[in-house]
Amino acid sequence: MKTTKRKIAFTIEKTSTGFSAYSDTYAVYTTGSHISELLTNAVEACNLFFEDQGIEIRPTNIELEIDLKQFFTYYRVINAKFLAERIGMNETLLSQYVQGHKKPSRKQTERILTGIREIGQELSEINLKYQS
């Protein structure tokens, strides 16, 4: 088996049982109850797809993508108004992206994603106090 540097994008959709994902480039589909399981299953599905070609796919080859509307529907804990303020974006513009009325440019998408990742990083570093 030879490893590849090829990146395989999967579009994620939220389902009632977790997530589903598919590749627009290859006939590869998978599901998972959570994102880490989805990634594991995507790697396995890709390795089955490329088995005859002797190509090995690793998690670093997989890119999971979700559209803004689904992201904000599923992750309602992230408030679009707060995010817009945080990244210095017009709230109405971000709302139009979230509702699917407008498509963000690559630069705007990166700006939004950077803000989301910064919030996630901050949240992961916080410890909550509890009363005993």
Side-chain angles (χ1 to χ4, degrees), residues 37-56:
E37 181 180 36
L38 187 69
L39 176 60
T40 299
N41 292 347
V43 170
E44 183 179 329
C46 284
N47 280 318
L48 287 172
F49 182 82
F50 289 109
E51 186 174 43
D52 292 343
Q53 298 173 37
I55 297 173
E56 181 183 6

Side-chain angles (χ1 to χ4, degrees), residues 6-112:
R6 174 184 320 198
K7 292 288 185 182
I8 303 170
F10 277 82
T11 300
I12 300 172
E13 294 180 348
K14 180 68 180 115
T15 67
S16 61
T17 58
F19 297 91
S20 67
Y22 61 90
S23 169
D24 287 328
T25 311
Y26 306 102
V28 182
Y29 311 87
T30 192
T31 61
S33 58
H34 45 78
I35 296 294
S36 59
E37 181 180 36
L38 187 69
L39 176 60
T40 299
N41 292 347
V43 170
E44 183 179 329
C46 284
N47 280 318
L48 287 172
F49 182 82
F50 289 109
E51 186 174 43
D52 292 343
Q53 298 173 37
I55 297 173
E56 181 183 6
I57 302 298
R58 295 185 177 168
T60 55
N61 299 110
I62 305 296
E63 292 181 343
L64 300 175
E65 302 173 341
I66 190 168
D67 70 42
L68 284 173
K69 186 175 184 177
Q70 282 206 34
F71 176 83
F72 280 100
T73 299
Y74 183 66
Y75 295 102
R76 286 175 275 172
V77 68
I78 298 179
N79 180 289
K81 180 180 178 182
F82 168 77
L83 179 61
E85 290 173 7
R86 172 80 182 240
I87 64 175
M89 180 179 284
N90 180 289
E91 181 184 339
T92 303
L93 180 60
L94 182 58
S95 177
Q96 289 173 340
Y97 293 155
V98 169
Q99 294 171 11
H101 298 307
K102 285 189 173 184
K103 289 193 167 236
S105 66
R106 178 180 287 283
K107 184 177 178 182
Q108 291 287 61
T109 301
E110 287 300 321
R111 185 175 174 193
I112 295 164

